[in-house]
Amino acid sequence: MPGRQPDPGPAASAGAVDADEHLIREAEKIATAVGRTLPGLCEVVLHDLRNPDHAIRVIENNLSGRQVGDSATELGLARISDPEYPSVIQNYANRFPDGRPVKSTSIGIKNAAGDYIAALCLNLDVSVLSPLTLTLANLVATETETETEHRGKPLEALRNRNSRELRQIVESRAVERAVSPRALPREVKRELVRQLREDGFFESRDAAQVIADLLGISRATVYNYAK
């Protein structure tokens, strides 16, 4: 009968740990390089899934307010519990804590044993790109397209204004100055808030918070500007 395979022992276990750590340190280089290639635009986070309570090893372009040593996300915990969880989840909708829209991609990293030990996550701040998109759309639009767009549509809707309409108006004002909404001067923000109030946007219950998130100010400041 064939003999029983010998126990790999503590030396082999230590070697596996060293190999995992080496792999994560190599991933740190990638996270840092990608983040510094896209400054201010894309947050890059490397999670060490071996330590979910303190998973974040690297965070470049910190747009979410998290810190090195913070815990893993729900997606990271899902990978820890299920080695068959998809390795790459690409271009999914997400949001930063202040409400800014994000396009995210998460890449799971497995060791030689097939266990997830890390995840590299890219969070693209699409709110920065929205004004540029609107500018390009306005640039290529023709009079015929504009007429076609409005033909057969009511000029007014008797309903509460929603966050999408608010975002379009705020981003349009930012486009006029070639900046992001949060970079608008204080007086322009004040004027914009007053105009939104006069146009009836404050009838919506959550309008003040939406405006605050878009302009990067507090709700109290929104109400102060609206006076």
Side-chain angles (χ1 to χ4, degrees), residues 49 79-80 82-87 108-110 114-118:
L49 299 183
R79 284 198 171 111
I80 293 171
D82 181 10
E84 300 304 316
Y85 199 87
S87 295
I109 300 171
K110 290 184 175 182
D115 298 320
Y116 281 115
I117 59 169

Side-chain angles (χ1 to χ4, degrees), residues 95-131:
R95 285 196 175 272
F96 288 128
D98 62 5
R100 281 174 294 163
V102 179
K103 184 170 78 169
S104 295
T105 291
S106 178
I107 305 164
I109 300 171
K110 290 184 175 182
N111 61 12
D115 298 320
Y116 281 115
I117 59 169
L120 182 64
C121 301
L122 312 176
N123 300 313
L124 183 68
D125 184 356
V126 296
S127 71
V128 176
L129 301 177
S130 295

Side-chain angles (χ1 to χ4, degrees), residues 40-42 63 94-96 98-103 123-134 167-168 170-172 174-175 178-183 213-216:
L41 183 64
C42 183
L63 301 175
N94 211 337
R95 285 196 175 272
F96 288 128
D98 62 5
R100 281 174 294 163
V102 179
K103 184 170 78 169
N123 300 313
L124 183 68
D125 184 356
V126 296
S127 71
V128 176
L129 301 177
S130 295
L132 176 60
T133 302
L134 187 57
R167 183 177 298 279
Q168 289 174 342
V170 171
E171 289 178 349
S172 295
V175 164
V179 297
S180 69
R182 291 172 167 244
D213 290 340
L214 288 170
L215 296 179

